[in-house]
Amino acid sequence: MSQRYQAVVFDLDGVITDTAHFHFLAWRELAQSLGLPFDEAFNEKLKGIDRMGSLALILAQGSQQYGDAEKLALADQKNAHYQELIKTMSAEHLLPGALETLIAVRDAGLKIGLASVSKNAAFVLDRLGISDRFDYVVDAALIQRGKPDPEIFLNAAEHLGVAPAACLGVEDAVAGVRSIKAAGMYAVGVGDPAVLTEADDVIPSLRDFKLSRYLTA
Ligand code: BG6
Ligand code: MG
């Protein structure tokens, strides 16, 4: 028996769990210590942006120039604080429908991958208690180009041993949807269809993920 899709590759933050608030707390403390403005609206711009890219956006709010070593130290400081915060995570931090979706996808015989630019993704999966539900988790440290570049989703497909055209990608960010499409996968957006206009399908949350709808298409 053959079916069109053989794997589903998920983004983590905003799809399976919501770590944005923890990133917000950690970045805000760093920004404030540097005398730079930081609020929830600014934090929105950092979703899906990797650690050094996020730091660059925050530092661009001020006029001071920082050398590479200083920037690395600032990023390490933020990350140490973030890691303290995410130690408090548990299965209660799974977004509605996330666990049910992972179970349904595996029960249907499809492989499951994770494509997150977070270098803390494996730790977060562990805290959520779902590490063993993934066949492959991309190591963000090995990814050269962030989303919207297709590299991270292509890396997932390759390691799952499934052609990109036989993969569904699931994302909540515009750059993430673009990355999925550039990889040649079917893009399921999670969020607002008016925002995720490039997705092939958009659902409000994983509570509404119906695998059969894609398998029979
Ligand atoms: C993304 C988050 O998933 O991971 C970003 O949306 C974050 O806000 C990025 O900066 C990198 O995360 P980390 O854990 O490697 O600093
Ligand atoms: Mg996301």
Side-chain angles (χ1 to χ4, degrees), residues 3-10 101-115 132-137 156-163 166-170 185 209 211 215:
Q3 66 188 10
R4 187 157 165 206
Y5 294 108
Q6 287 150 24
V8 184
V9 184
F10 294 90
T101 298
L102 294 172
I103 292 170
V105 172
R106 182 160 277 175
D107 283 354
L110 279 76
K111 292 200 170 151
I112 302 181
L114 189 88
D132 59 359
R133 298 193 180 276
F134 290 82
D135 298 294
Y136 179 71
V137 175
E158 188 187 332
H159 285 87
L160 289 170
V162 176
C167 294
L168 295 171
V170 188
M185 300 180 181
F209 187 91
L211 187 62
L215 296 186

Side-chain angles (χ1 to χ4, degrees), residues 146-153 174-184:
K147 299 168 188 176
D149 191 280
E151 182 182 2
I152 193 164
F153 280 93
V174 172
V177 166
R178 232 168 246 171
S179 174
I180 294 170
K181 292 308 299 171

Side-chain angles (χ1 to χ4, degrees), residues 47-201:
K47 285 190 178 172
I49 308 291
D50 68 15
R51 200 179 305 160
M52 295 311 287
S54 299
L55 178 68
L57 290 173
I58 292 167
L59 296 181
Q61 299 268 98
S63 53
Q64 193 166 333
Q65 300 296 314
Y66 294 87
D68 287 348
E70 283 173 304
K71 284 193 228 170
L72 274 179
L74 291 172
D76 284 350
Q77 196 180 317
K78 179 268 174 177
N79 191 49
H81 183 191
Y82 177 70
Q83 287 180 332
E84 273 308 306
L85 296 170
I86 58 176
K87 275 186 196 162
T88 65
M89 291 183 82
S90 69
E92 286 173 22
H93 289 83
L94 282 163
L95 283 170
L99 183 59
E100 294 78 0
T101 298
L102 294 172
I103 292 170
V105 172
R106 182 160 277 175
D107 283 354
L110 279 76
K111 292 200 170 151
I112 302 181
L114 189 88
S116 168
V117 298
S118 172
K119 296 189 174 80
N120 293 296
F123 179 80
V124 171
L125 292 186
D126 191 49
R127 295 303 312 161
L128 295 169
I130 55 171
S131 303
D132 59 359
R133 298 193 180 276
F134 290 82
D135 298 294
Y136 179 71
V137 175
V138 174
D139 179 355
L142 304 178
I143 299 300
Q144 307 292 318
R145 296 171 301 280
K147 299 168 188 176
D149 191 280
E151 182 182 2
I152 193 164
F153 280 93
L154 289 174
N155 178 289
E158 188 187 332
H159 285 87
L160 289 170
V162 176
C167 294
L168 295 171
V170 188
E171 259 287 352
D172 67 315
V174 172
V177 166
R178 232 168 246 171
S179 174
I180 294 170
K181 292 308 299 171
M185 300 180 181
Y186 182 96
V188 180
V190 177
D192 183 352
V195 175
L196 302 173
T197 53
E198 294 169 40
D200 296 298
D201 187 31

